Amino acid sequence: MKIGLALGGGGVRGLAHIPILEALDDFGIRPSIIAGTSMGAIIGALYASGMSGKEIRERISKHLIRKDDTWRDIIAKKGHLLKWVTAFSVEFPRGGFINTQGFFEYLFTEIKKRTFEELEIPLLVIAADYWTAEEIVLESDDLLPALQASMAVPGVFAPARIAGRVLVDGGVVNLVPYDHLLERADFTIAVDVSKARNPGKHEIPGALESVLGAFDIMQASALAEKMKHRKPDIYVQPEIQGIRMLDFGKTEEVFLQAAPAVDLLRKQLKGMTVESG
């Protein structure tokens, strides 16, 4: 059975994809094709390059200071932390966008693959054409520009130019791109890491939070409409609250909040293996 895996965008919340991948690994389930948007495309590229979910988590953990880390642990991580800080240093070049070049240069030292064709699992990366409003599916040639385009959040990260097109974050047009897998796989698993709303809050958000929050609302609305017409076989939606798109200091909290959804997925996967057996 060919299994398609769709990983949605959501900034740092996209790290919730990692325990999802670990669950698939534990059940010996290997996707035949992956589709990803924004951070989902990045995690998908790491996985498609041959890393396991556990290996991706270990690489991420090297660059974070955890609550239970001792001073010896922090010293041991010093070199990795410096790379991480440099990669995520905020620069505002001409045009007012955050420069992501350092992050992608760092990312590719981890992936060690330069083109889609080198990946072990076929990968579809979703972006949007800024000028024509078209959804663009990238699945061949250079991987780096495709990932840059897919996570180019409007107003935050600079657009990418590919083959004469100006491309921005794929979440503008397709937050969780499971629809591209329905005809290419027998069974589809979709993971939505969009922000859970908090109706009890009444504070007026700041400028950047307003932009990112409005982006979240737009994406969630479009996804809900798509879900009315055709759904994936398994839909995983971690309830992640209080974590904004760029809250990279809250990685551990992302994993904690994703745990109930991962547990539910494990039960669903167990049911799949029992039925197939």
Side-chain angles (χ1 to χ4, degrees), residues 120-133:
E120 295 182 12
I121 301 174
L123 175 68
L124 310 180
V125 171
I126 308 302
D129 187 309
Y130 179 80
W131 291 111
T132 67

Side-chain angles (χ1 to χ4, degrees), residues 153-233:
V153 179
V156 181
F157 300 121
R161 189 182 295 275
I162 299 178
R165 293 179 180 267
V166 176
L167 304 182
V168 296
D169 193 298
V172 172
V173 288
N174 198 340
L175 181 62
V176 186
Y178 65 84
D179 46 309
H180 290 289
L181 305 177
L182 296 174
E183 305 302 326
R184 302 175 70 163
D186 304 309
F187 192 92
T188 55
I189 300 171
V191 188
D192 174 15
V193 293
S194 58
K195 184 178 182 180
R197 309 313 301 175
N198 190 339
K201 294 189 72 173
H202 302 285
E203 295 88 349
I204 295 177
L208 180 59
E209 188 173 352
S210 293
V211 172
L212 298 180
F215 193 56
D216 287 334
I217 292 170
M218 177 191 67
Q219 291 173 321
S221 177
L223 177 59
E225 186 61 32
K226 182 171 69 172
M227 290 281 286
K228 291 178 183 178
H229 302 286
R230 196 169 179 186
K231 297 181 179 180
D233 295 291

Side-chain angles (χ1 to χ4, degrees), residues 24 49 51 53 98 102 107-109 119 148 250 252 257 264:
L24 295 179
S49 73
M51 290 186 198
I98 295 175
L107 177 66
F108 269 77
T109 66
L119 297 173
Q148 285 180 305
K250 296 184 177 180
E252 281 191 277
Q257 292 194 35
L264 178 59

